[in-house]
Amino acid sequence: MTTTDLLAAKERELRSSRAPRSWRPAVGAPLAAVLLPVLGFLVWQILVSSGLASGRLVPPPSRILYALWQLQKTGELYHHLLATVGRVLFGFLAGAVAGILLGGVTGYFRLARRLLDPTLQALRAIPSIAWVPLFILWFGIFETSKVALIAVGVFFPVYLGVSASLSSVDRKIVEVGRIFRLSGFDLVRRILFPAILPALVVSLRTGLGLGWMFVVAAEFMGASEGLGYLLVDGQQLGKPDQIVAAILVFAILGKFSDGLLVLLTAPLTAWQDNFRREQE
Amino acid sequence: MMLSLRSLAKTYPNGVEALGALNLDILAGEIVAVIGGSGCGKSTLLRLISGLESATRGQVKIHGEQVMAPHPLINLIFQEPRLLPWLTVEQNICFGIRHLDRLEQGRRLRAVLQQVQLQSYEKRLPKELSGGQAQRVAIARALITQPEVLLLDEPFSALDAMTRASLQDHLLEIWRDAGPTIVIVTHDIEEAAALAHRVVVMQPSPGRILEEIDMDLPLPRHELDLEPYKKRIRAALRRSLASTDQPELNLNEAISNRRVFS
Ligand SMILES: Nc1ncnc2c1ncn2[C@@H]1O[C@H](COP(=O)(O)OP(=O)(O)O)[C@@H](O)[C@H]1O
Ligand SMILES: [Mg+2]
């Protein structure tokens, strides 16, 4: 064999060993993501089915799925799910809009920051659940107080994210805007807003996560519908399978809504030169 | 007179006297190279001319009109490209002419892309460009507004020697085609001698002009002997450095600004 042959063989070998690797991460990532929960479920199911564990307080997957199925059949699941999703949606929208507006104003105007930020930071230090009694007094025990509580939860991370990222936009890029004589609003629209988009998306995701947290708190304080109601109901009637079923739905909803948010905003932040772009 | 700087002085809020009473007149179509040790106020000078920074005393005039804020006829190219990362090459270049109609934008875009040799890169994002390509986009972004005054702050210093040489040639071609007035800050004696009609050597604390050297040679100067001119620039730089607190630094170290990006 000549040197060139050797080199060619070596290259072929390298290629063939590289080729199969390319599909592995693509298929592997979703598989890896569900591996742990599925394994856990399987083990628990086997333990309970074989009588090694009673499963009375921690129901096996089969019972949870059955409970879900029952709820679904009667249309209850749908009803409760819709109530919860609706609250989170409105609370999220209200909180996010307020967070973006106030964060924008305090991030952009120094005077506004000096006036508003200390107060907002102080309000942030209050555990949000502490608002519940007041909100009930103000807005009654129905939807408004619940949506308001969720909105408060969503507001703070969004406010903080927008305000902080706005005041830390790279001066160098802002100077480009000034050289091209962008006026106040154009500067916001063409430079500041795009520059903070990635941070905004992150804070919206955090806010949405808190929204799901707070909807449970809101539904604990007396609701006749919603997934949180299913939790309370399950506790009072001693139905752990219903509780776990509701928790499962929360997990799926949370993951799904976060994924949706990432998906919707992905085109807006595709320009980022990230160390690693991970599919989520 | 294209540009006229009168007793221009700048003291930063922290008390640093970056420029003290500087006078300079620049003719239309002239290429002026500003050279000097790091920290002697070169960037400050360009920022004042561009209107990014306001003078503490004195004034900058373009066509006799005082520059108070960024001016449509003046554009500044920074040491780093400073492209907007969310815009494509094409959108970055057209950033300053968004108000023009699409036809005119397209016409100018094709012309500048040709000038900086970036055809077929229009749709790329800044993260997909090399340093030299990105800096060419930055130059194109300034050129497309057809400025009468082009200010460049060490525009090629972060680039490798080959890219630098080719971009210097581009700059001369642009000057030949459009004839803008050019003020280029550099720490490279070779670059100053190759490009400028006049080399202004600055001195620090406070920043001021130590010497002006007229380069009475035609452009471009590929085949010409620049050594006598470089010698004079070098000598002036030595005197400028002797007045600082770091006279022991060698010339190249002192004027190289690679690590100080301001
Ligand atoms: N924004 C600023 N605030 C305070 N001091 C500054 C600022 N910019 C520059 N300086 C100071 O002014 C002097 C001149 O700076 P500069 O114009 O950047 O010099 P050069 O570009 O010649 O290196 C330096 O001493 C520098 O530290
Ligand atoms: Mg500088």
Side-chain angles (χ1 to χ4, degrees):
Chain A
M1 249 199 233
T2 66
T3 320
T4 15
D5 286 339
L6 274 174
L7 282 175
K10 184 78 193 157
E11 194 188 337
R12 266 197 302 282
E13 182 195 329
L14 278 175
R15 280 233 183 94
S16 61
S17 68
R18 219 180 288 138
R21 215 164 280 160
S22 60
W23 57 262
R24 253 182 239 158
V27 180
L31 271 184
V34 296
L35 186 67
L36 214 55
V38 166
L39 218 71
F41 280 146
L42 271 179
V43 169
W44 190 238
Q45 182 70 51
I46 290 168
L47 281 179
V48 174
S49 301
S50 63
L52 284 173
S54 83
R56 205 169 47 82
L57 285 178
V58 186
S62 57
R63 288 242 311 276
I64 299 165
L65 289 178
Y66 182 71
L68 263 181
W69 172 248
Q70 286 298 317
L71 285 170
Q72 195 276 128
K73 218 169 55 177
T74 56
E76 261 184 285
L77 179 64
Y78 191 62
H79 173 73
H80 292 302
L81 195 133
L82 219 60
T84 298
V85 169
R87 286 167 187 150
V88 172
L89 189 68
F90 285 116
F92 176 72
L93 285 179
V97 168
I100 291 172
L101 286 180
L102 275 172
V105 169
T106 54
Y108 187 70
F109 300 106
R110 193 172 308 168
L111 181 66
R113 178 157 60 253
R114 292 204 179 129
L115 283 175
L116 287 171
D117 192 62
T119 308
L120 286 170
Q121 295 293 353
L123 288 176
R124 190 172 73 98
I126 301 170
S128 305
I129 308 293
W131 292 110
V132 168
L134 204 56
F135 282 178
I136 291 181
L137 276 184
W138 287 348
F139 307 121
I141 58 165
F142 300 110
E143 292 309 305
T144 318
S145 57
K146 295 186 175 58
V147 170
L149 181 64
I150 296 165
V152 167
V154 174
F155 171 80
F156 284 108
V158 175
Y159 165 76
L160 269 187
V162 170
S163 175
S165 60
L166 203 51
S167 43
S168 66
V169 170
D170 192 356
R171 169 186 60 82
K172 294 184 169 181
I173 265 181
V174 177
E175 280 180 1
V176 170
R178 292 186 50 212
I179 279 290
F180 287 98
R181 295 174 305 123
L182 259 54
S183 60
F185 179 66
D186 265 349
L187 194 70
V188 171
R189 189 162 63 116
R190 307 223 172 248
I191 303 230
L192 298 178
F193 185 67
I196 67 158
L197 256 181
L200 176 61
V201 169
V202 171
S203 63
L204 285 177
R205 289 176 68 184
T206 313
L208 186 59
L210 282 175
W212 286 112
M213 232 168 91
F214 279 69
V215 76
V216 177
E219 290 175 344
F220 274 1
M221 66 196 203
S224 52
E225 51 182 12
L227 293 170
Y229 164 79
L230 281 184
L231 292 174
V232 178
D233 186 58
Q235 181 220 329
Q236 283 168 351
L237 300 183
K239 294 190 285 190
D241 45 354
Q242 180 178 316
I243 296 179
V244 182
I247 288 176
L248 201 66
V249 175
F250 267 123
I252 294 168
L253 276 178
K255 188 79 187 98
F256 177 77
S257 58
D258 183 59
L260 193 67
L261 194 59
V262 170
L263 201 73
L264 288 177
T265 52
L268 300 176
T269 56
W271 50 267
Q272 280 188 99
D273 195 2
N274 282 349
F275 160 59
R276 189 187 259 165
R277 280 199 82 73
E278 196 138 23
Q279 237 62 50
E280 305 203 37
Chain B
M1 199 63 58
M2 191 69 202
L3 281 175
S4 122
L5 319 185
R6 286 279 160 273
S7 326
L8 196 60
K10 176 71 182 179
T11 305
Y12 282 107
N14 62 358
V16 174
E17 211 178 340
L19 281 185
L22 182 145
N23 290 300
L24 186 64
D25 286 319
I26 299 173
L27 300 170
E30 191 179 8
I31 304 180
V32 173
V34 178
I35 195 164
S38 168
C40 67
K42 307 183 296 295
S43 296
T44 303
L45 176 65
L46 288 199
R47 293 170 66 84
L48 286 173
I49 301 176
S50 73
L52 267 188
E53 210 86 57
S54 54
T56 314
R57 268 168 285 117
Q59 48 187 236
V60 175
K61 284 185 172 173
I62 175 167
H63 293 310
E65 171 203 347
Q66 192 172 350
V67 176
M68 308 287 283
H71 192 281
L73 294 180
I74 305 176
N75 211 298
L76 171 60
I77 293 168
F78 301 93
Q79 180 170 6
E80 334 79 51
R82 302 199 186 183
L83 303 181
L84 302 180
W86 52 86
L87 298 182
T88 61
V89 164
E90 177 178 81
Q91 292 166 326
N92 263 293
I93 294 177
C94 292
F95 189 71
I97 56 165
R98 293 178 318 276
H99 54 280
L100 299 181
D101 67 72
R102 291 205 150 267
L103 224 66
E104 175 66 8
Q105 283 190 32
R107 205 182 56 72
R108 287 200 194 182
L109 177 67
R110 279 190 300 282
V112 292
L113 282 173
Q114 163 81 35
Q115 272 178 314
V116 297
Q117 295 287 300
L118 276 175
Q119 302 99 324
S120 81
Y121 284 85
E122 300 110 295
K123 302 294 178 204
R124 292 216 192 173
L125 283 170
K127 68 176 178 185
E128 298 161 332
L129 300 175
S130 72
Q133 289 165 346
Q135 193 59 307
R136 262 141 68 195
V137 174
I139 294 173
R141 177 177 64 184
L143 283 181
I144 205 165
T145 64
Q146 304 181 340
E148 287 187 20
V149 176
L150 203 53
L151 309 170
L152 301 101
D153 193 355
E154 306 201 24
F156 312 136
S157 63
L159 307 174
D160 62 275
M162 290 257 289
T163 316
R164 191 183 319 150
S166 99
L167 284 185
Q168 286 167 359
D169 288 343
H170 277 315
L171 189 63
L172 281 184
E173 279 165 30
I174 286 156
W175 173 76
R176 199 194 49 209
D177 293 347
T181 304
I182 295 177
V183 183
I184 179 169
V185 165
T186 177
H187 63 254
D188 183 352
I189 298 172
E190 179 77 43
E191 184 165 88
L195 293 179
H197 296 118
R198 183 157 42 128
V199 177
V200 170
V201 180
M202 287 187 63
Q203 188 175 15
S205 344
R208 67 213 121 117
I209 295 174
L210 174 72
E211 191 168 331
E212 297 184 30
I213 297 162
D214 285 316
M215 304 282 307
D216 27 40
L217 292 174
L219 285 166
R221 301 178 178 144
H222 293 299
E223 264 93 65
L224 302 176
D225 177 22
L226 301 176
E227 207 37 59
Y229 292 92
K230 279 155 72 176
K231 227 173 184 166
R232 286 179 59 194
I233 301 172
R234 216 174 282 127
L237 271 173
R238 273 216 188 81
R239 269 183 287 126
S240 142
L241 289 176
S243 70
T244 70
D245 44 358
Q246 308 172 301
E248 73 279 6
L249 275 180
N250 82 41
L251 206 56
N252 282 326
E253 271 175 46
I255 62 175
S256 126
N257 207 8
R258 264 160 223 250
R259 265 156 292 128
V260 194
F261 273 6
S262 53

